[in-house]
Amino acid sequence: MSNKPVAIITGASRGIGKAVAKELAALGFYIVINYFDFRDGKPDDSAALQTEKEIKGCKILRGDVSRAEDRNKLIEFTKQNFGRCDMLVNNAGVAPAKRVDILEASEESFDRVMNINLKGPYFLTQLVANWMIEQKKQFADRNFRIVNTASMSSYTSSPARGEYCLSKAGVSMMTMLYADRLAEFNIGVFEIRPGIIMTDMTSVVKEKYDKLISDGITPTKRWGLPEDIAKAIGAIAEGRLDFSTGQVINVDGGFHFRRL
Ligand code: NAP
């Protein structure tokens, strides 16, 4: 069994997840990276292999978080390699393949986005939470924490990507549910709400967001960076928010507050 704490991070071959993996590795965690790169309909491990090179001692495993079989494999893989899991970061997520008005949007896109963004983390958390409860019985002095990546879309309407907003609103409720259920075991559950963060996901709408930011949609007039999210999750990993289970941490340059 590993003598260092272990974190599972989903969707961590690139973007926000990769920055979180680097941050937690720097804080002394061994990292298990889940990823599901498909480029032009074919599996492509290049980003994950590159990330593996950059983070000493990390292990990578391809898997689709929306599939039960792949979630089970991720847990078995972590057990075999490290024998423990101290932290889970549910980060993997997708935008709709195409933005379509809710008056026209398809069930197919709804199912895809909800399965990856909500069903996947909901049931992965169930697996990890049960394993953490077992570990807690044996190692009472260890700290266990779970972080869910929601979004400003949890509470902001974008009618051209309704399924994304619904999935993230679901992640917000999921955080409260697990924070409530796991409090008796002293397992902290937290929600990160990123604002507009510069990654592949937002690269397709870069010009639109450049303008919104320069026009003042966020009080802090800059793009968020994956490292901004990673620092906030780092603070959770260090135990600085342990009495704040269920807390929502907005990492959005002030987007969330009302202004007059
Ligand atoms: P990204 O650059 O597109 O990365 C998304 C990650 O999710 C990738 O590592 C991707 O892995 C992984 N992923 C996608 N489908 C998956 C699946 N079925 N199984 C496992 N992994 C899967 O996006 P990002 O901006 O870093 O987003 C990370 C999280 O932050 C998401 O939950 C997103 O909704 C949330 N968020 C982002 C922003 C933003 O402005 N960027 C704002 C609010 C919330 P592969 O590449 O390996 O497929």
Side-chain angles (χ1 to χ4, degrees), residues 10-18 34-39 44 47-48 62-67 90-95 112 116-117 149-153 161 164 168 192-202 209 223 226 229:
T10 65
S13 60
R14 60 195 171 91
I16 292 171
K18 180 174 178 175
N34 147 267
Y35 66 100
F36 194 58
D37 273 314
F38 262 83
R39 303 270 177 258
D44 175 351
R62 167 185 292 285
D64 178 350
V65 290
S66 70
R67 293 185 61 207
N90 284 307
N91 166 78
V94 291
R112 170 179 171 267
I116 295 172
N117 292 5
T149 310
S151 169
M152 61 209 272
S153 298
R161 48 183 188 131
Y164 184 78
K168 293 301 184 179
I192 293 285
R193 269 190 198 163
I196 303 170
I197 311 295
M198 195 175 279
T199 64
D200 293 345
M201 184 179 273
T202 44
Y209 285 154
W223 278 80
I229 309 293

Side-chain angles (χ1 to χ4, degrees), residues 27-80:
L27 290 174
F29 282 75
Y30 282 129
I31 309 293
V32 177
I33 285 180
N34 147 267
Y35 66 100
F36 194 58
D37 273 314
F38 262 83
R39 303 270 177 258
D40 306 321
K42 281 191 232 137
D44 175 351
D45 299 307
S46 53
L49 289 168
Q50 177 59 34
T51 303
E52 189 185 30
K53 265 195 222 155
E54 290 173 36
I55 301 177
K56 211 174 143 235
C58 89
K59 300 275 176 198
I60 60 170
L61 183 70
R62 167 185 292 285
D64 178 350
V65 290
S66 70
R67 293 185 61 207
E69 194 191 332
D70 290 6
R71 292 191 297 270
N72 284 319
K73 278 188 190 156
L74 182 60
I75 301 305
E76 279 315 307
F77 179 79
T78 309
K79 285 184 177 170
Q80 275 165 22

Side-chain angles (χ1 to χ4, degrees), residues 29-223:
F29 282 75
Y30 282 129
I31 309 293
V32 177
I33 285 180
N34 147 267
Y35 66 100
F36 194 58
D37 273 314
F38 262 83
R39 303 270 177 258
D40 306 321
K42 281 191 232 137
D44 175 351
D45 299 307
S46 53
L49 289 168
Q50 177 59 34
T51 303
E52 189 185 30
K53 265 195 222 155
E54 290 173 36
I55 301 177
K56 211 174 143 235
C58 89
K59 300 275 176 198
I60 60 170
L61 183 70
R62 167 185 292 285
D64 178 350
V65 290
S66 70
R67 293 185 61 207
E69 194 191 332
D70 290 6
R71 292 191 297 270
N72 284 319
K73 278 188 190 156
L74 182 60
I75 301 305
E76 279 315 307
F77 179 79
T78 309
K79 285 184 177 170
Q80 275 165 22
N81 279 282
F82 296 112
R84 66 190 276 185
C85 174
D86 306 76
M87 184 147 176
L88 167 67
V89 181
N90 284 307
N91 166 78
V94 291
K98 225 172 122 194
R99 291 185 176 214
V100 179
D101 187 288
I102 50 170
L103 295 178
E104 312 285 338
S106 69
E107 282 194 38
E108 191 190 355
S109 178
F110 183 96
D111 289 344
R112 170 179 171 267
V113 172
M114 293 297 268
N115 286 343
I116 295 172
N117 292 5
L118 182 58
K119 188 182 89 173
Y122 185 76
F123 286 106
L124 182 61
T125 299
Q126 187 186 64
L127 285 177
V128 172
N130 279 305
W131 184 18
M132 285 178 171
I133 291 166
E134 268 175 46
Q135 292 175 84
K136 192 84 193 169
K137 283 182 198 149
Q138 217 184 333
F139 304 100
D141 57 336
R142 284 190 191 165
N143 297 300
F144 298 96
R145 303 174 182 107
I146 296 170
V147 177
N148 299 322
T149 310
S151 169
M152 61 209 272
S153 298
S154 294
Y155 63 92
T156 303
S157 165
S158 298
R161 48 183 188 131
E163 62 275 60
Y164 184 78
C165 298
L166 282 171
S167 71
K168 293 301 184 179
V171 169
S172 297
M173 175 48 83
M174 170 188 145
T175 301
M176 210 192 319
L177 289 165
Y178 274 113
D180 184 7
R181 185 65 185 87
L182 299 180
E184 71 174 277
F185 304 102
N186 218 1
I187 298 170
V189 185
F190 305 88
E191 173 183 336
I192 293 285
R193 269 190 198 163
I196 303 170
I197 311 295
M198 195 175 279
T199 64
D200 293 345
M201 184 179 273
T202 44
S203 61
V204 286
V205 282
K206 183 172 179 309
E207 277 169 28
K208 176 185 165 180
Y209 285 154
D210 279 344
K211 182 163 185 339
L212 287 171
I213 291 168
S214 74
D215 289 349
I217 197 165
T218 51
T220 307
K221 283 194 183 180
R222 70 161 173 86
W223 278 80

